[in-house]
Amino acid sequence: MNAPDPAATTASPPHASFAARAHVALADDGLRRKFRRAMDGLMTKRAAQFADTEAWASLRARGAAIRRRALARLPELLEQLEANCRKNGITVHWAETSAEADGIIEGILTRHGVRTIIKGKSMVSEEIHLNHFLGEHGIGAIESDLGEFVIQLAKETPSHIIMPCIHKSKEDVASLFEAKIDGQPYTEDVDVLTATARRVLREQFAAADAGLSGVNFAVAETGTLCLVENEGNGRLSTTLPPLHVAVMGIEKVVEQLEDVPPLLSLLTRSATGQTITTYVNFISGPRKTDEQDGPREVHLVLLDNGRSRIHGDLQLRETLACIRCGACMNHCPVYTRVGGHAYDAVYPGPIGKILTPQIEGLGKAGDLAHASSLCGACGEVCPVAIPIPDLLVRLRREASHAIPSSSVMGAGAQHSAVEDWIWRGWRWMYATPLFYRLATRMLRLIGNRLPASLPMLRDWTRVRAKPQFAPRSLHDLARDRGYHDE
Ligand code: SF4
């Protein structure tokens, strides 16, 4: 039987613009079908959970307030969390960058002579490319979340923050297991496939020297780490091996224990349409002397990686309220058509479009802020009311400057000279009523006669119908009805 190759999780997709990658994804009918089916299912389940719109609005307001309150007191809460974790016997480490976090984790593991770790799901560990780093230092990392296990076997990267292998069909998984797991015949029976993964992973759980997990919420008041999951792998990773390392972004802290239930309710309903997940783990320290289970040592790594800079900007700080439910992705007309890999980022979809350019810099990922129709669906479904479209517009503005404000990192992707002239002309037209009226009248007269094959229209109309201009403008129609105040 083959275990997954521990160092093979983070193969980098080829560098190209988002537009180029989206182009490739859009040509893949199979991929679009898989995403459409999966996203439709998730949207339906979420809608059923929030059928009572008044209850949804009130729970959402509560969740949004909890997150904003925690962010307003972030430095103070982090110090309180550290103090209470230490009281509970958890060793706390601070990492300013990805490299620092990798180094700290590798140091802990090396000091304990760890050769293999078993991992619960952790997006922060993806953010710091931990598997790759540990692989280079001779430490194997085995993913135990079923979706992550499949991705690791396939040597791919996750395409969704909650369901990492959502881009794979059961036929894909059947072929993968047949090719990679000794003695596994091809079968599309999902129960058999799941049982196979379970059997392989059980051996890994028993053999691992340490467990690593993410953290959904960390409670400052009590020094408790909260972790939700459906497979029991999170609980096994954090209790079976003698050493547990948890890694989290600093924004995951909340004030008090009673903040957790409303956030959990919003998280699980928005993410998978479940009232609550199968497992909710509260970790408050290593095994006590009179206890038989649990790790003998627990470490918590608090990762900044640009979050303090983001926190310093009152508008961009909203990004840090995210509870990583993935609902914005499931409802995004761009993500649901191109899938997660087109973003070439750890965090895809709307949350990725605002978070990635801020973490990695506008120069590297500024084009992601443009990968949106600004339809507003992401902001509507976000359980903590993050104004994602407003943040996208802000980042677009920042990306258009050669020197963005100090809140965001990296040079902007300046407009070309032609683009600049187009926008200046546009602004002038809107600011000059006479010219605006003249231009709209001309468009009504000749717009519908312009062939879709014109070079300036060709790219746009290749995948869309050419818009038809109405014979009369909205202003004219309004005037007919007696409205004269434009
Ligand atoms: S931005 Fe909102 S909807 Fe998107 S993952 Fe975060 S909490 Fe969920």
Side-chain angles (χ1 to χ4, degrees):
M1 187 179 314
N2 294 337
D5 176 356
T9 338
T10 48
S12 300
H15 185 75
S17 68
F18 173 80
R21 293 187 301 267
H23 198 73
V24 173
L26 286 171
D28 185 340
D29 287 343
L31 183 80
R32 292 181 65 175
R33 255 197 310 280
K34 283 180 240 175
F35 268 92
R36 187 70 274 165
R37 197 169 45 224
M39 298 298 117
D40 283 351
L42 288 168
M43 284 196 288
T44 308
K45 283 191 196 165
R46 177 198 166 273
Q49 286 289 342
F50 294 123
D52 181 339
T53 48
E54 271 183 34
W56 149 248
S58 131
L59 184 61
R60 185 190 203 213
R62 198 163 160 209
I66 290 170
R67 291 300 296 131
R68 299 318 184 281
R69 198 160 20 88
L71 289 174
R73 299 183 53 214
L74 187 62
E76 185 190 330
L77 290 184
L78 284 168
E79 282 179 16
Q80 192 185 358
L81 174 72
E82 180 184 26
N84 286 327
C85 280
R86 287 196 201 284
K87 264 189 221 156
N88 293 341
I90 299 174
T91 310
V92 179
H93 309 260
W94 299 85
E96 200 176 327
T97 61
S98 291
E100 233 176 272
D102 281 333
I104 289 168
I105 296 171
E106 189 264 326
I108 298 168
L109 299 179
T110 303
R111 277 197 299 282
H112 287 79
V114 170
R115 303 317 309 153
T116 311
I117 61 164
I118 189 92
K119 285 179 69 198
K121 192 164 172 3
S122 158
M123 288 309 294
V124 167
S125 78
E126 299 280 345
E127 180 182 327
I128 61 177
H129 304 292
L130 181 66
N131 292 11
H132 182 73
F133 182 84
L134 292 181
E136 285 180 343
H137 290 77
I139 299 172
I142 309 287
E143 299 287 349
S144 67
D145 171 88
L146 183 55
E148 294 279 357
F149 172 75
V150 169
I151 291 301
Q152 190 171 34
L153 269 186
K155 302 188 178 179
E156 292 178 10
T157 51
S159 61
H160 190 286
I161 59 172
I162 300 291
M163 283 144 292
C165 74
I166 198 90
H167 59 287
K168 291 209 173 293
S169 64
K170 67 173 188 271
E171 293 82 6
D172 296 335
V173 176
S175 304
L176 182 70
F177 277 23
E178 184 191 23
K180 299 283 175 121
I181 298 177
D182 287 347
Q184 174 69 22
Y186 181 91
T187 174
E188 291 171 17
D189 185 327
V190 174
D191 288 339
V192 174
L193 292 170
T194 312
T196 301
R198 185 184 162 94
R199 179 169 45 82
V200 173
L201 284 171
R202 284 278 155 164
E203 291 169 12
Q204 301 296 333
F205 278 118
D209 307 307
L212 187 132
S213 74
V215 175
N216 289 102
F217 306 107
V219 185
E221 175 191 51
T222 55
T224 308
L225 311 180
C226 175
L227 188 63
V228 291
E229 41 126 3
N230 276 315
E231 298 166 16
N233 66 304
R235 185 161 298 181
L236 278 172
S237 310
T238 56
T239 53
L240 197 57
L243 172 67
H244 170 213
V245 181
V247 55
M248 64 175 252
I250 53 171
E251 79 279 21
K252 292 290 180 74
V253 67
V254 293
E255 278 182 328
Q256 50 198 357
L257 216 43
E258 69 187 47
D259 289 342
V260 174
L263 290 177
L264 281 186
S265 184
L266 284 165
L267 172 62
T268 61
R269 289 167 182 219
S270 303
T272 49
Q274 290 172 283
T275 310
I276 194 69
T277 44
T278 315
Y279 295 85
V280 178
N281 305 291
F282 287 92
I283 300 161
S284 294
R287 170 199 306 204
K288 308 272 182 314
T289 38
D290 56 341
E291 289 175 344
Q292 293 187 341
D293 298 315
R296 295 184 190 281
E297 246 181 69
V298 178
H299 293 254
L300 173 65
V301 180
L302 294 163
L303 174 72
D304 187 313
N305 203 24
R307 287 163 173 83
S308 294
R309 177 173 34 79
I310 298 171
H311 185 262
D313 183 297
L314 283 184
Q315 187 186 21
L316 297 177
R317 177 188 291 185
E318 288 286 301
T319 314
L320 302 178
C322 177
I323 56 173
R324 303 283 190 274
C325 70
C328 54
M329 302 159 69
N330 307 343
H331 291 75
C332 173
V334 178
Y335 176 87
T336 53
R337 281 157 182 82
V338 302
H341 288 153
Y343 294 80
D344 189 17
V346 170
Y347 303 102
I351 178 58
K353 288 180 238 181
I354 55 172
L355 185 59
T356 310
Q358 293 186 69
I359 288 183
E360 296 194 1
L362 288 168
K364 188 168 172 206
D367 68 334
L368 290 185
H370 292 265
S372 168
S373 63
L374 295 182
C375 70
C378 49
E380 289 287 317
V381 297
C382 177
V384 286
I386 299 175
I388 301 173
D390 294 349
L391 300 183
L392 284 170
V393 172
R394 163 79 189 275
L395 290 172
R396 286 182 186 189
R397 211 170 47 235
E398 297 282 358
S400 72
H401 300 135
I403 304 170
S405 71
S406 56
S407 305
V408 284
M409 195 176 68
Q414 266 184 306
H415 288 312
S416 69
V418 176
E419 240 181 306
D420 257 357
W421 280 108
I422 290 174
W423 287 115
R424 274 185 212 186
W426 197 264
R427 190 172 60 191
W428 183 71
M429 186 183 83
Y430 267 97
T432 319
L434 178 67
F435 187 73
Y436 176 81
R437 275 197 290 274
L438 208 63
T440 49
R441 191 154 299 164
M442 286 293 289
L443 270 179
R444 289 205 303 277
L445 283 176
I446 61 164
N448 292 341
R449 293 174 204 204
L450 296 174
S453 55
L454 273 183
M456 59 196 286
L457 293 177
R458 208 167 33 213
D459 277 354
W460 205 76
T461 53
R462 197 163 35 78
V463 288
R464 302 175 185 87
K466 188 162 79 69
Q468 290 297 306
F469 292 94
R472 304 195 62 218
S473 73
L474 182 63
H475 282 169
D476 290 343
L477 295 174
R479 265 192 295 273
D480 287 353
R481 295 188 175 207
Y483 299 105
H484 294 290
D485 182 11
E486 291 186 13

